[in-house]
Amino acid sequence: MPSISKKGQLMPESPIRKLVPYAEAAKERGVEVIHLNIGQPDIKTPQVALDAVRNHNLDVLAYSRTEGSEEYRQKIAAYYAKNEIEVTSSQIIVTTGGSEALSFAMNTIADTGDEIIIPEPFYANYNGFATISGIKVVPVASQIEDNFALPPIEEFEKLIGPRTRAILICNPGNPTGYLYTREEIKKLATIVKKHGLFLVADEVYREFTYDGREHYSILQEEGLDEHAILVDSVSKRYSMCGARIGSLVSRNKEVIQTALKFAQARLSPPTFAQIASEAALETPKSYFEEVKKEYVSRRDLLISELKKIEGIKVGEPHGAFYCIAELPIANADNFAQWLLESFSIDGETVMIAPAAGFYATEGLGLNQVRIAYVLEKEELRRAVHILDKALKVYKD
């Protein structure tokens, strides 16, 4: 009998999606499931993007250029310029989602057995991309007690070895909502320059920063041209998760030339999605102001309600639209499954993402969950009420 690859056996399940069968079974039983588990915004996609696809005049749905259309990349460069990031269209590769940009980045800078240091908890799929690429994730733990701030620089220095190729951050962070300060970015810049490493930043939540705080990109930091690789996406910015359009951006010519070879192997990014994404760049600033106001309102309600529950500890996000909550239980995987299989109030239950999958260190995050506040406030309020009642009766 043929055997499955070791890589396939090692490939982790998504902590966000692995509970879907239980959610579907609950829905079949007539239970309404409130989804706190996935970062799918309910904010409307900008109409200009939808209209661009609806009103296209294509006769042939042809391949685009491997690196994305020149016009779209020029407009992306103009978008970055408005955000104090100076790049040219030749320093941008359009990808099939931010996921592909991360995969290209990893394969461009690291060989099998090489290492990338990542502050944990981190976006769960980094584990998957690393497994596919044969890369070892070396985690450096941040703490909920410190609101998941950048760990001390000494902790990074301890982990740098002969096979270390890069440090990877998500800013603002998924799953924590942590927003790195300018000073923290400068500290990371100092480390990567000192040790000859790359600094990869997943900045897909750039627009979503709160409480008067501003996002500081690695491409705004001077002296990082050869070290910095930026990963981006339209998914969250324009509530266009289904478009699957992202980008890889670097001023390092060799990085772009190498990543382009990986891009050529998949031919080109999707044409219709590029049309929508190019049009989305015309979205007025007022759109983001309203969206940010809504997310701040949702965040404040969620954190306030969670803090009323005895035994819960919760991080306070300053960006993105997630938070990590530590629950008074032993195992969040078991609790999340139990919620879907055995618990409901007035025909409703909640689906949460167990946080252990957002860590690389075994045993961390077992009693934590990630909550996405992408739902209307009344739904969030009901969801927290259900969590509260569930925790009162749940037995580990």
Side-chain angles (χ1 to χ4, degrees):
M1 180 176 175
S3 60
I4 298 299
S5 69
K6 289 181 180 178
K7 185 182 292 184
Q9 294 174 44
L10 290 171
M11 187 69 180
E13 285 186 294
S14 166
I16 307 163
R17 294 175 178 266
K18 68 181 182 181
L19 293 168
V20 167
Y22 301 103
E24 294 301 320
K27 292 172 186 176
E28 288 176 8
R29 297 194 307 271
V31 177
E32 183 178 337
V33 177
I34 301 176
H35 287 271
L36 300 177
N37 62 305
I38 192 165
Q40 171 59 66
D42 66 351
I43 304 294
K44 288 185 178 180
T45 302
Q47 192 62 42
V48 65
L50 299 175
D51 288 344
V53 175
R54 185 177 292 114
N55 301 325
H56 75 89
N57 58 4
L58 295 178
D59 294 319
V60 177
L61 193 58
Y63 290 124
S64 71
R65 287 177 60 172
T66 291
E67 59 269 66
S69 75
E70 176 64 25
E71 185 178 21
Y72 179 36
R73 286 181 296 117
Q74 286 180 356
K75 289 183 179 180
I76 295 174
Y79 157 80
Y80 285 129
K82 292 177 183 176
N83 288 274
E84 301 180 13
I85 298 171
E86 297 299 329
V87 292
T88 66
S89 61
S90 64
Q91 294 167 331
I92 300 168
I93 296 176
V94 178
T95 58
T96 308
S99 298
E100 188 176 71
L102 280 158
S103 180
F104 286 171
M106 287 187 178
N107 282 291
T108 293
I109 64 177
D111 290 311
T112 300
D114 283 344
E115 299 174 352
I116 294 181
I117 298 172
I118 313 178
E120 64 179 355
F122 52 73
Y123 176 45
N125 283 336
Y126 294 166
N127 277 324
F129 301 142
T131 299
I132 292 169
S133 305
I135 295 168
K136 180 182 178 183
V137 170
V138 178
V140 54
S142 60
Q143 309 296 329
I144 193 169
E145 290 78 10
D146 300 325
N147 205 29
F148 301 106
L150 186 75
I153 294 305
E154 297 76 33
E155 296 302 309
F156 285 88
E157 296 264 0
K158 290 177 190 174
L159 299 173
I160 295 173
R163 302 216 66 170
T164 306
R165 300 294 293 138
I167 295 172
L168 167 60
I169 62 171
C170 185
N171 185 32
N174 173 8
T176 65
Y178 185 77
L179 178 67
Y180 289 97
T181 65
R182 182 182 297 249
E183 291 70 29
E184 287 173 323
I185 297 297
K186 287 183 178 295
K187 287 179 181 179
L188 289 172
T190 299
I191 293 179
V192 297
K193 286 189 285 188
K194 176 182 176 182
H195 295 278
L197 307 176
F198 289 100
L199 179 57
V200 183
D202 180 346
E203 298 186 358
V204 304
Y205 298 98
R206 179 186 301 107
E207 257 74 19
F208 308 121
T209 62
Y210 315 126
D211 310 315
R213 290 169 167 82
E214 293 186 359
H215 180 265
Y216 186 68
S217 172
I218 60 169
L219 289 180
Q220 288 174 269
E221 178 65 20
E222 291 186 7
L224 275 187
D225 284 6
E226 298 305 308
H227 301 266
I229 302 173
L230 186 152
V231 168
D232 212 341
S233 169
V234 305
S235 291
K236 315 301 182 177
R237 182 169 301 135
Y238 304 111
S239 197
M240 289 171 56
C241 296
R244 309 313 305 137
I245 289 291
S247 57
L248 183 146
V249 188
S250 180
R251 300 189 186 103
N252 183 317
K253 182 180 273 190
E254 193 173 7
V255 164
I256 292 296
Q257 289 175 340
T258 305
L260 186 59
K261 290 189 287 185
F262 288 105
Q264 287 169 344
R266 62 84 166 105
L267 303 183
S268 66
T271 298
F272 271 142
Q274 284 185 84
I275 290 172
S277 300
E278 182 179 329
L281 287 167
E282 300 172 17
T283 303
K285 189 176 180 180
S286 58
Y287 172 88
F288 297 107
E289 291 170 350
E290 289 302 312
V291 171
K292 284 173 65 171
K293 190 185 300 181
E294 178 63 22
Y295 280 140
V296 167
S297 178
R298 293 176 181 187
R299 178 203 62 176
D300 291 349
L301 181 142
L302 174 67
I303 301 300
S304 169
E305 293 298 308
L306 285 172
K307 284 184 173 181
K308 294 176 183 176
I309 301 176
E310 185 178 354
I312 277 191
K313 187 184 297 182
V314 60
E316 298 201 23
H318 296 298
F321 36 67
Y322 308 101
C323 73
I324 289 285
E326 195 166 281
L327 308 180
I329 57 174
N331 188 296
D333 277 278
N334 295 341
F335 178 62
Q337 184 174 329
W338 174 84
L339 280 169
L340 294 169
E341 286 189 313
S342 307
F343 188 81
S344 65
I345 294 178
D346 298 328
E348 289 186 315
T349 192
V350 296
M351 187 174 182
I352 50 180
F358 295 88
Y359 289 83
T361 302
E362 191 172 347
L364 290 187
L366 291 177
N367 63 340
Q368 296 178 351
V369 297
R370 186 195 74 167
I371 295 175
Y373 47 94
V374 293
L375 305 175
E376 292 182 352
K377 285 183 287 186
E378 188 50 45
E379 272 197 287
L380 288 174
R381 195 188 304 274
R382 293 203 315 275
V384 176
H385 172 71
I386 292 168
L387 274 178
D388 184 21
K389 297 300 182 185
L391 286 167
K392 283 181 168 62
V393 300
Y394 179 70
K395 304 295 181 185
D396 278 313

